[in-house]
Structure formats: C-alpha cells, structure tokens
Amino acid sequence: MKINFKCFLGFLFVLFVQIAVAQEIKVTGKVTDQAGMPIPGANIILKGTKTIVETGLDGDFTITAKKGDILIVTYVGMKTTEVAAAASMNVKMKEDANELETVLVIGYGTTSKRKSTDAVAKVTSKDIEQIPVATVQNALVGKLAGVQITQTNGKVEGGMQVRVRGAASISAGKEPLYVLDGIPLVTTNESSNGAPTNPLLTLSPNEIESIDVLKDASSAAIYGARGANGVVIITTKKGKTGKGTFAINLSQGVSEATNKRKWLNAAQYVELFTEAAVNEFGDAAEAEDTFDFLAQGTDWRNLEVDSNWQDTAFQNGLTTDADFSVSGADEKTKYFFAGAYNNTVGIITSNELERVTARTNLSHQVSDKLTVGMNLGFSRSEIQRVQDDNSFTTPLQAVAQSPLSPIRLADGTANPNTLYANFLLAIDNSYWKTIMRRVTGKVFGEYKIIPSLKFNSDFAYDLLSQTEDNWNGKNVPFMATDGEVFASSVNNETYIFSNYFSYDKTFAEKHTINAVAGMEFNDFNRRFQSVTSIYFPNDSFQTVDGGAEVLTGSGNETDYTFSSIFGRVSYSFDNKYLFKASIRRDGSSRFGANNRFGTFPAFSAGWIMSEESFLKENKVVSFLKLKGSWGQLGNAEIGNFASRQLYGPNSYNLRTGLSFTQAGNPDLTWEKSSQIDLGFEVGFLDRFSLDFDYYKKETDGLLFSVPVPLSSGAAAINKNVGVLESSGLEFTFNTKNIDTDKFKWSTSFNITTNQTVVKELPNNNTDLIGTNTINRVGENASAFYLKEYAGVDPANGDALYFLNTTNADGSLNKTTTNSYAAAQRVVTGNPFPELMAGLTNTMNFSGFDFSFTFQGEWGASIYNSAGIYQSVNADYFDNQTADQMNRWQKPGDITNVPQARLYAGNGTAASTRFLDKADFIRLRNLTIGYSLPKTTINKMGMSNVRVYLAGVNLLTFTDYSGYDPEARRDDTGIGEEFYSAPPARTIALGVNLNF
C-alpha cells in the first residue's frame, strides 16, 4: 500500500495543532482591590510573551492561556500580582506604598524617585485634601523637609512666606517660582491696603493632584534665572482610565483664635496708673483727670465699665467648603471637571473670604501619533478686609484702649471719645473690598515622531485681575472731607509659548537615555489705575462718581519678557549608575544692557548600591542610593527697571517737566546662586526608608542700593554686590509600622537645619543697619540688633541695660547701667528658625482612617515692636499686658518689670526686653474619618461614602509670650509682631460622596 507522504505530514500537523489547542483555555476573571471594588484599566500580561489585555469598566478581562501559565497583573498604585491561569478567577490587588516608584514632576518631564539624583519633596492630593484651610500653602506645613511655610497672620487673605532651604537673597525676591501645569504663575502682591494678599489664594486644593518642590540646583536649573529660591510645581488632576466618577465633598467648620492675651481689667488699670502717677508726680491727679475723660460720664471709681476690647476685635469664625468633580477616560479621551466654593468668616471682626473656582482638563488622542488637550482654570475671590496692622483702626489695636471706656454708647453707636480712634467707627462706616479674578489656561499638542521621540507644543495664559474698593464715610476717624472713596484696578497678564522635544529609549536592556530640549518665551504685562474721590453728600454714596472732587488719580503700565532655551539629559546604566546634566540660557528685559543673557548649568550623579552583587540579595538593606549635585541658578526678581536710568514727571504751578529719579547701571544682572547637594537614600526590610541631604548654596551678586556722591545727581545706584550663604541638613524618615489587610499604620518624620549667613557686603563690608535688625558679615541675615535689657535694679526700680561696650581685650563689657543712651546695640537673635521638623502619622482600620501632623520650629526670635506701648508699666495710658502687675514697688523686690512711672520712660525704649524666643510645637492638622461598608453603599449606587472630622492648629506648645509664634506684622519689618492676629484654630465636619 502506497502512503502519500505529504498527506501524512499534514495529518501529523493537524494532530499536533489539536493537541496544542486542547491545552489552551479561555481565562475569564475580574480584578478588584482589597475592598472588592473593580479596577478598570489594569493590565493582564501572559508572562514570557507579548500578549496583553486590559480590564474593562467592571474590572473584567478575558485572555487565552495554557494551564500552568502565569498571568502578571499590574496597575498604577497597586502591587504587581502574579497568579496561575485558571478558567475562572478573581484577582485581588493590594495598594503599593513603594515610594521608590513615586513619579516626580521635575519640569518639562517626570522621573521616578528610584532614579532621581535630585532633591525633590512631594505631596499628593491625599496629603492635603480635607484639611480645612483656604490656602494651598497652609495645607503643606510640616510635610516637606527643607520648606518653611508661614502665613503672615490670622487674616483670611494673609500673605504667605515660603522659604525653600532658607533665604537666597536679602533685598530681591525670596519666594519660590510657582508653576501650575507648566505655567509660571504671577505671584505679585497687588494690595493697596498696606497688608499683603496671597495671590495663590485663587487656587482650590480640590483641583490639585500633586505638588513637587524642586529644592536643589540639579532639579531647578531647568528654570534658570528664576530657580534660585526653589520651584513649586503644581499639577492638577486629570481623568483616569475606567468608569466615570462623580465626587462631592461638603464640610462645615468653626474657628477661633489659637491664643488670646491677658490684659488689665478696669480695677488693675486704675491701680497701676494711679500708682504710676503718684510715683512720678507725687499725687494721682494726672491719672484721675484722664480716667474722667476715658470713662465718658460713667463711674470709674466704682468700676461701672469694664470693657474687654480684645473680645471686640475677635469673633468666632465659620468655614464652609463644597466641591465636586467629574472625571474619567477611555482609550482616547481623558476628562476632568471640577468646581469648588469656599466661604471663610475670619476670626478678626469684619474679615471674610468668599471664593468660587472651576477647572476643566481635557485631552484627546487624535491618532496613534497625535494627542491634543486643554487645561482651563477660573477663580473669583472676594475678600472683606480690615486695615493693616499699623493702622489705628485695625481691629487688634483695640487692645490699647482703656477698659474704663465704653465700647459703644447707649444708642448702639461706637464711642467716638476713646484714647485712640475706635476701630468700630471704621467697621460701621467703611469697607475695604478686594476681588481677585484669575484665569489660567493652556492648550497643548504632543506628536509622537517615533516611539522614543515626541514633540510638545504648549501655549499658556495667566491673568490675575484685581480690583479694590475702599469707602470711608464721614464718621470714620480722621475723616475731614465728608467721606472718601478709593478705587483701583490692576491686570497682570502672562503669555507663555513652549516648544520642546523629549527622547526616552533603552538600549541593550542596560542603557537608558532620557532627554529634553526646547525653547520658551514669556511675555508679562501689568496695567494699574486708581482714583480717589472726596466730599460726598451723604454716606449712601459709596462709589467714585458720588464725590464732588476727584482728589488724586494714578495709572501706569509695565512689562517684561524672558526668552529661553533649555536642555536636560539623564543617563542610566544597568539600572544602578545615574547621571544627569541640564542647562538653561535665559535672556530678560529686566537685566542690564551689558548682561542681557545668562547661562545656568547643573550636573548630578547617583549610584544605586543596592543593585550591586554585594548588596542585591541583602535581606536587611532593601535599597541604597548615593547622590550628589552641583549647579548655578539665578534670581531675576530684581524689579523691572532696576538697571535703567529713570526720569519721572514733576510739576509746579501747573507746569510739568521731567526730573532724574534713578541712576542707570547697564551691568546690573540677576543674583547668582551656586548650590551643592550631597545625600543618600536607604531602605530597610522594604518597610523603612531614610533620605538624607546636606546642602550649601552661595548667592553672589546680591542686589543693593549703593550710595554714590551727590555730585552725580543721584543718591544711590543699584549694584550686584554682596554674598549670602545658606547651608543645612535634611532628614526624611518613612516607616510602615504595620501593613496588613486589616490594619495599616505609616509614619513620616522630617527634620531640617538651616543657617543663612552674610559673607560679603557693599562698601568694604559696612554694616547695613535697620530699625531693629542688621546685616553684618559673619552673622545671620537680618539678625536682630538691639540694646540688651538687664532687668530691674532691686534698689530703686530702674530699668537696667548691659553696656556692651568693647573692652581692651575685645570682649564685651557686661556691666549694667540705667542709662539707655550709654548701652550699645548687639546682635541678639535670628528672625528665621534654625531647626524645623514635621511628624505625620496615618492609620487605617476597618473602615476608619486617622491621620495627624505635628510641626515644630526652633531657633527663631520675634521682636514685639508694639511692646514699647503695651508692656511698659503705665508709661502712657495704653492698656497693659497683665504681667505688668508684677512691677517693682519697694526696695528689695526682685522682678523683671521696672517701677511704674507715668511719662518717665522707665524701660520703654527698644531693647531685648521685647524680644522673645518663638520655639513651638503645634498639632498642625488632624483628621479622623469613617467609610461606610461597600455592601451598604453599593445598593445606593455609590462607590464610597465617608464622614470625617478635621482640625487645624488644635494644640500649640510654646513659651512665647505674645499672641502666637507664627504671627508677624503685615506692613513691614522682618521677624516682628505689631498687633498681629494669631492664626485660626478650626474644627470641621464633612462628608465625601463618590458615585
């Protein structure tokens, strides 16, 4: 029998195929989290092959595999899971808290923490959501090593001071550069009130996905001339692949001052000032005559009136927050829509904020190569303001009023006859309203030229428009013109056009290159106008056109530009040797004609030692990386025309002309900051990690106004002279204390040291002396410079001071004297903290979540520049702090409070008597929440329901004798308090609803 060989081979082939097919199975399954909620968009990979599928909206998937095959399940934020293939399966994924895989946003790109050679601090939306504060910066306090965040005082619009690794300047800008979705934000304070506003008040925390702070030169050099003070990159939320979600957050909170001071009551006031008059004049007549005036017909001898003026300045605050978001994505389109409403009634009388924000983020994949998108944000913030701290009619200056004075008259109107202007007359008959409107937008396109090379083009716009209206009726103190209205408007506009290429490729499985190169153009324009009108027929007219005369008007316009090119290359070999170089060249109209352009390079390197053979299998050290960087940055916040020779209009007898106002310096340029950073990151047992950094930054070419001979026609000229050095250490320690399915507890602790020292000054290092501070070579920047109080002479009650003259051997003469004029000023304290720390704990158990953050600062001092009025033992009739009752009264008394002598100036002059240490530890925020069981809420069509209780500034531990160790005067001065409001203590109850 003849066999057809070809047919036989065909038969064998079909048989083998059937056998192979018979071994394959159709795997169907579902991917969920530990709570049983489906995970859409998870990747299912058949191990050892290129076969991959993605879970659908309900977490379902289907894949063909063989029995015994391994399926790898991956999803962002979840631990990679490997399971054996089966016909039907349910895969539960656990959250991945591996911080090494955290994505860091570093400007025009991203990197992983594992491969980063930079010093970057990061917080995510989980770290800042549900903290009942109106400003984004306030939610960051205590969570970032090397970053100090302080609100000027407790006013709702209070300006913010953010210092990244200490100060990098003395006279130029000190705030970091803020970048929102690639848009450098306008952060100019445009307040005409005398107290600053916070331009970032226009951002709502609910729209923020993450905040990355670039602290060292290696990370910030990509921003060149604007990176010396650090860079804060804010990334807003975007839609995530999977089923669309709808989320609502509602909360209501109450607030009060963190602290109130103790002042004299009426009985103490009469006792102290009577004694002061007798000590100085021999009888009480001077005091009693004043008591008669202050009491305004009431019986002060029987203490008929005992006014608590402090309570009139404060009120119970109220905070209302409501926000929503809608987000989702499919294979081609991602969307995120959000809106938020905040109403904050402040703890200061007549101080209130109302804000509405909205955001739309969209992106669409037009083709396999082209993706386009748009980010658009809008905000309107209306603030009812009070006067700045230095005004008699600011509420907190009411503490200076006598308790003998009635606060209001019998008819309810404010008492006009008080020691100082009654602030209630201003509250009742005036208003100061500031409205900030902000639009930020960006349209972008990304074209993938080849898989490893793409081109991005972004066009962005930032508009900060602010109007201010100040009406003062005829009964406002110091009003001489039957009313006055001031109105102003200012528009700050920025256009940003960016184009850059990105390249990312791995060669031979060991060589990875990531590169960015591009250009950027920034154009800024500011237009300001104001007008003041006076003489109004009555108080019903409260706008400019109601006045009979326009008293003054002003208007100006200014602009500047930046033109830049930049590049960055990162190289990784074998996943353990890391190198990075970046450079930016900036040109700006702000710089002098001879120094229009500057180049800012940076280099860094890292070594992941744990990938070496001698550590790779180590069971204790799970990760170890050494890193170091060097770079140069600039500070371009030197003003728009600091280098120009300027002339201004001048007029006399209705004739106008020009006069010389500023000498020009064509060599003027940015302040240059050279920075080094050395550090390591180490992990233990996959549960503990420690990040350490040592940094030093030296700023050269500090901007100063240097005196010149009067024959030049000018008093001074702007020059780049002087050197400032900041250095310190940073530690961040993260632990997973307990990590089980039922209970999770993690801790994050950070601690930072900083010392900012003056190295060089203009004019042969001549001291630059301020009212209470000094910049001196070898001392801290803006150090306190005061005469040193030495207590009280127990023999006669005189205030004593240390002479502090210089002895022949160079030491200070610590002999005491009662002559204030004979004593010499000395450096006595630092306005900036030298040590900062933050401790955050987060716990989850059976639906409950609990987190809290403690914050601490040490080494800073505060000078109470109001102390010369409020703690001077009855030198004048201002009400006094209660501690003044501990005064010297007879020979032998040991006390720190001099004898009370009316008008005599016994210990009233500026000295360390009014300087106090500002060390503190504060329970910054605390949140406890409970999420309802999934089985309960699924029936309601919801994916999550959580109720929570949150608090801010709940506890403060400090020996500081003033209102609060974080309160500072808002008009001027460094490290000073002057009738400054403390921050608010807030407790809020809220609910999160997710559909």
Side-chain angles (χ1 to χ4, degrees):
M1 181 178 178
K2 188 177 180 180
I3 297 176
N4 188 318
F5 188 68
K6 290 184 178 180
C7 290
F8 178 70
L9 290 177
F11 170 77
L12 290 176
F13 176 75
V14 172
L15 180 62
F16 289 143
V17 169
Q18 287 179 335
I19 293 173
V21 171
Q23 290 179 334
E24 290 182 343
I25 57 174
K26 185 178 182 181
V27 179
T28 60
K30 188 172 187 176
V31 179
T32 65
D33 60 18
Q34 289 297 299
M37 294 303 296
I39 300 178
N43 291 320
I44 317 297
I45 306 168
L46 187 60
K47 191 172 183 177
T49 74
K50 294 184 178 180
T51 303
I52 181 172
V53 298
E54 189 176 277
T55 57
L57 297 179
D58 296 321
D60 297 327
F61 70 91
T62 301
I63 191 171
T64 300
K66 297 176 183 178
K67 285 186 178 180
D69 279 351
I70 299 298
L71 301 182
I72 302 173
V73 187
T74 65
Y75 187 73
V76 176
M78 296 289 185
K79 290 183 178 180
T80 298
T81 304
E82 294 190 10
V83 293
S88 178
M89 54 197 308
N90 188 3
V91 182
K92 282 194 173 185
M93 303 191 74
K94 294 182 179 180
E95 288 188 7
D96 184 8
N98 184 359
E99 61 180 296
L100 294 176
E101 302 308 322
T102 300
V103 176
L104 304 177
V105 182
I106 55 173
Y108 312 100
T110 61
T111 187
S112 69
K113 182 174 173 57
R114 171 184 287 273
K115 290 189 174 183
S116 172
T117 54
D118 302 332
V120 181
K122 185 184 187 74
V123 296
T124 65
S125 57
K126 289 184 178 180
D127 300 312
I128 62 176
E129 60 190 5
Q130 278 90 60
I131 298 177
V133 292
T135 61
V136 171
Q137 299 108 309
N138 261 330
L140 303 177
V141 176
K143 300 182 186 298
L144 301 166
V147 183
Q148 184 200 15
I149 303 170
T150 306
Q151 183 170 331
T152 305
N153 53 42
K155 297 174 184 176
V156 295
E157 77 281 10
M160 299 295 296
Q161 293 181 351
V162 178
R163 299 289 181 267
V164 178
R165 293 184 163 181
S169 181
I170 292 177
S171 57
K174 303 175 184 66
E175 292 293 309
L177 172 69
Y178 291 91
V179 180
L180 175 70
D181 289 337
I183 307 170
L185 292 177
V186 175
T187 55
T188 308
N189 166 43
E190 292 290 359
S191 173
S192 301
N193 174 276
T197 53
N198 174 18
L200 292 185
L201 192 68
T202 55
L203 292 177
S204 173
N206 87 306
E207 61 189 279
I208 294 174
E209 178 66 30
S210 66
I211 297 176
D212 297 77
V213 182
L214 313 185
K215 298 186 292 184
D216 68 334
S218 177
S219 58
I222 199 72
Y223 291 100
R226 292 183 289 178
N229 294 317
V231 181
V232 178
I233 300 180
I234 303 171
T235 304
T236 59
K237 295 178 179 177
K238 299 173 179 60
K240 294 180 175 61
T241 302
K243 182 181 178 181
T245 61
F246 178 60
I248 300 175
N249 173 62
L250 304 169
S251 73
Q252 186 80 59
V254 293
S255 303
E256 63 180 4
T258 54
N259 181 46
K260 291 184 179 180
R261 302 191 69 180
K262 292 183 179 180
W263 303 90
L264 302 182
N265 59 31
Q268 293 169 322
Y269 184 88
V270 170
E271 176 188 340
L272 182 61
F273 280 91
T274 299
E275 181 180 316
V278 171
N279 287 338
E280 186 62 24
F281 302 111
D283 59 51
E286 179 72 13
E288 292 176 350
D289 288 347
T290 304
F291 295 160
D292 287 337
F293 165 75
L294 295 173
Q296 289 294 298
T298 62
D299 187 356
W300 61 265
R301 287 179 173 82
N302 290 317
L303 307 177
E304 181 180 342
V305 172
D306 189 1
S307 296
N308 189 327
W309 285 90
Q310 179 176 245
D311 283 353
T312 66
F314 288 110
Q315 64 182 6
N316 290 325
L318 187 65
T319 300
T320 301
D321 274 297
D323 61 69
F324 76 91
S325 65
V326 181
S327 65
D330 57 22
E331 294 82 357
K332 291 185 176 295
T333 304
K334 295 181 180 180
Y335 61 90
F336 175 81
F337 307 107
Y341 172 80
N342 172 270
N343 183 272
T344 301
V345 177
I347 59 171
I348 302 298
T349 300
S350 296
N351 187 212
E352 186 172 345
L353 163 71
E354 186 175 38
R355 180 183 65 206
V356 177
T357 63
R359 172 158 294 280
T360 297
N361 288 349
L362 290 170
S363 67
H364 179 70
Q365 186 176 336
V366 179
S367 67
D368 291 341
K369 290 183 174 294
L370 179 63
T371 300
V372 297
M374 174 191 72
N375 293 357
L376 181 63
F378 168 77
S379 173
R380 183 185 188 273
S381 304
E382 182 173 323
I383 313 165
Q384 303 299 332
R385 308 186 66 188
V386 295
Q387 292 288 343
D388 68 274
D389 290 348
N390 197 34
S391 170
F392 279 120
T393 54
T394 194
L396 218 57
Q397 283 211 26
V399 298
Q401 304 282 20
S402 169
L404 302 180
S405 296
I407 295 172
R408 291 187 180 273
L409 304 180
D411 62 0
T413 59
N415 179 10
N417 298 308
T418 50
L419 183 65
Y420 298 109
N422 188 344
F423 84 98
L424 291 171
L425 288 169
I427 295 296
D428 294 346
N429 299 280
S430 70
Y431 64 77
W432 191 299
K433 180 172 67 177
T434 297
I435 300 178
M436 292 190 287
R437 303 170 180 87
R438 185 163 216 148
V439 176
T440 57
K442 180 177 77 169
V443 292
F444 60 89
E446 178 182 290
Y447 185 76
K448 191 177 293 184
I449 302 171
I450 57 177
S452 57
L453 179 64
K454 61 184 181 181
F455 173 73
N456 287 79
S457 184
D458 303 345
F459 180 77
Y461 175 72
D462 178 22
L463 168 66
L464 177 60
S465 177
Q466 179 171 299
T467 59
E468 293 193 305
D469 295 279
N470 178 213
W471 166 70
N472 292 279
K474 62 182 179 181
N475 292 322
V476 168
F478 315 117
M479 181 54 60
T481 58
D482 286 333
E484 179 182 282
V485 168
F486 167 83
S488 70
S489 65
V490 59
N491 282 347
N492 286 317
E493 288 183 290
T494 306
Y495 300 89
I496 307 101
F497 188 37
S498 307
N499 296 279
Y500 56 96
F501 291 90
S502 301
Y503 181 78
D504 195 348
K505 191 171 180 61
T506 299
F507 301 91
E509 299 183 353
K510 287 192 174 184
H511 306 273
T512 301
I513 295 177
N514 178 277
V516 173
M519 60 76 62
E520 186 170 86
F521 178 77
N522 284 248
D523 183 50
F524 170 86
N525 177 267
R526 176 185 183 270
R527 188 171 188 268
F528 174 83
Q529 292 179 313
S530 70
V531 63
T532 300
S533 184
I534 56 176
Y535 297 122
F536 289 77
N538 59 60
D539 284 355
S540 297
F541 295 86
Q542 300 179 2
T543 57
V544 169
D545 59 357
E549 179 182 339
V550 174
L551 178 65
T552 60
S554 65
N556 55 72
E557 190 169 358
T558 183
D559 54 25
Y560 66 79
T561 60
F562 277 89
S563 181
S564 314
I565 56 175
F566 56 85
R568 179 179 61 223
V569 177
S570 300
Y571 170 71
S572 168
F573 174 71
D574 202 17
N575 201 33
K576 54 187 175 183
Y577 306 116
L578 314 172
F579 304 93
K580 192 180 84 166
S582 59
I583 192 168
R584 183 169 179 128
R585 183 166 174 80
D586 278 319
S588 177
S589 58
R590 283 181 164 179
F591 308 147
N594 297 340
N595 284 297
R596 192 71 80 197
F597 288 88
T599 302
F600 305 92
F603 307 93
S604 62
W607 177 24
I608 304 179
M609 293 179 64
S610 53
E611 289 295 317
E612 299 289 357
S613 57
F614 57 85
L615 272 180
K616 197 163 188 178
E617 302 301 326
N618 192 289
K619 295 181 179 180
V620 177
V621 179
S622 51
F623 181 77
L624 177 60
K625 178 174 67 178
L626 306 181
K627 61 179 183 177
S629 69
W630 172 89
Q632 290 185 327
L633 300 168
N635 183 359
E637 295 304 310
I638 62 176
N640 289 343
F641 305 111
S643 67
R644 304 294 182 90
Q645 184 159 308
L646 300 181
Y647 298 84
N650 208 338
S651 62
Y652 175 74
N653 196 26
L654 298 182
R655 296 183 181 274
T656 60
L658 293 176
S659 60
F660 181 52
T661 60
Q662 177 180 287
N665 180 3
D667 295 321
L668 194 74
T669 187
W670 54 90
E671 297 183 343
K672 306 174 185 68
S673 178
S674 298
Q675 304 184 16
I676 62 170
D677 186 283
L678 300 172
F680 65 83
E681 300 171 18
V682 60
F684 303 98
L685 304 172
D686 285 322
R687 293 183 59 188
F688 311 99
S689 67
L690 172 66
D691 289 8
F692 166 81
D693 285 277
Y694 164 76
Y695 66 88
K696 183 171 78 171
K697 57 182 180 182
E698 185 175 272
T699 304
D700 193 5
L702 294 176
L703 181 70
F704 283 108
S705 182
V706 180
V708 295
L710 293 178
S711 59
S712 68
I717 187 172
N718 293 319
K719 287 187 175 182
N720 294 108
V721 286
V723 177
L724 189 70
E725 181 183 279
S726 287
S727 61
L729 305 173
E730 295 174 358
F731 297 86
T732 300
F733 185 55
N734 296 317
T735 72
K736 299 178 189 176
N737 305 312
I738 300 175
D739 188 12
T740 66
D741 292 341
K742 291 186 177 181
F743 183 47
K744 297 181 184 297
W745 174 24
S746 61
T747 300
S748 179
F749 174 69
N750 67 78
I751 188 167
T752 303
T753 69
N754 177 261
Q755 198 79 23
T756 302
V757 178
V758 178
K759 291 295 185 179
E760 293 181 20
L761 287 173
N763 292 342
N764 298 317
N765 294 328
T766 301
D767 292 342
L768 299 178
I769 301 175
T771 304
N772 298 307
T773 60
I774 188 172
N775 282 293
R776 171 180 285 174
V777 172
E779 300 288 354
N780 292 313
S782 303
F784 287 112
Y785 190 55
L786 298 161
K787 297 189 178 186
E788 191 175 6
Y789 186 62
V792 176
D793 188 335
N796 57 21
D798 283 354
L800 298 176
Y801 303 89
F802 291 109
L803 278 173
N804 282 325
T805 53
T806 304
N807 295 319
D809 62 358
S811 63
L812 291 179
N813 181 0
K814 287 299 182 179
T815 304
T816 60
T817 176
N818 62 0
S819 171
Y820 180 82
Q824 302 299 305
R825 295 170 74 177
V826 292
V827 175
T828 56
N830 188 352
F832 308 111
E834 298 174 3
L835 177 66
M836 301 180 293
L839 173 68
T840 299
N841 275 274
T842 303
M843 285 164 269
N844 294 274
F845 175 71
S846 295
F848 287 94
D849 60 270
F850 177 60
S851 66
F852 62 87
T853 296
F854 276 97
Q855 167 214 8
E857 292 183 5
W858 297 267
S861 297
I862 296 180
Y863 181 74
N864 182 9
S865 45
I868 60 175
Y869 310 114
Q870 58 191 209
S871 297
V872 289
N873 216 1
D875 185 69
Y876 189 62
F877 286 94
D878 295 50
N879 199 9
Q880 301 291 290
T881 52
D883 62 325
Q884 298 307 293
M885 296 301 289
N886 300 322
R887 65 217 179 269
W888 184 97
Q889 291 182 288
K890 63 183 184 303
D893 282 352
I894 304 299
T895 179
N896 209 39
V897 182
Q899 183 186 36
R901 302 170 187 170
L902 189 63
Y903 308 147
N906 186 21
T908 63
S911 72
T912 58
R913 182 182 178 189
F914 310 111
L915 186 70
D916 203 354
K917 287 291 185 182
D919 299 349
F920 70 90
I921 298 175
R922 170 167 281 160
L923 178 54
R924 189 71 192 194
N925 50 66
L926 179 148
T927 303
I928 182 169
Y930 176 69
S931 299
L932 273 61
K934 300 293 183 181
T935 53
T936 302
I937 61 175
N938 285 346
K939 297 175 183 179
M940 303 165 59
M942 297 182 179
S943 58
N944 186 57
V945 175
R946 174 177 173 267
V947 292
Y948 65 91
L949 183 68
V952 174
N953 298 331
L954 297 180
L955 297 171
T956 303
F957 306 94
T958 183
D959 291 330
Y960 178 63
S961 60
Y963 270 112
D964 192 272
E966 288 191 288
R968 302 292 192 276
R969 68 185 298 169
D970 58 19
D971 57 322
T972 185
I974 296 175
E976 293 186 18
E977 176 187 347
F978 189 77
Y979 301 102
S980 307
R985 177 190 295 116
T986 302
I987 298 176
L989 181 64
V991 60
N992 305 132
L993 304 174
N994 293 77
F995 298 85

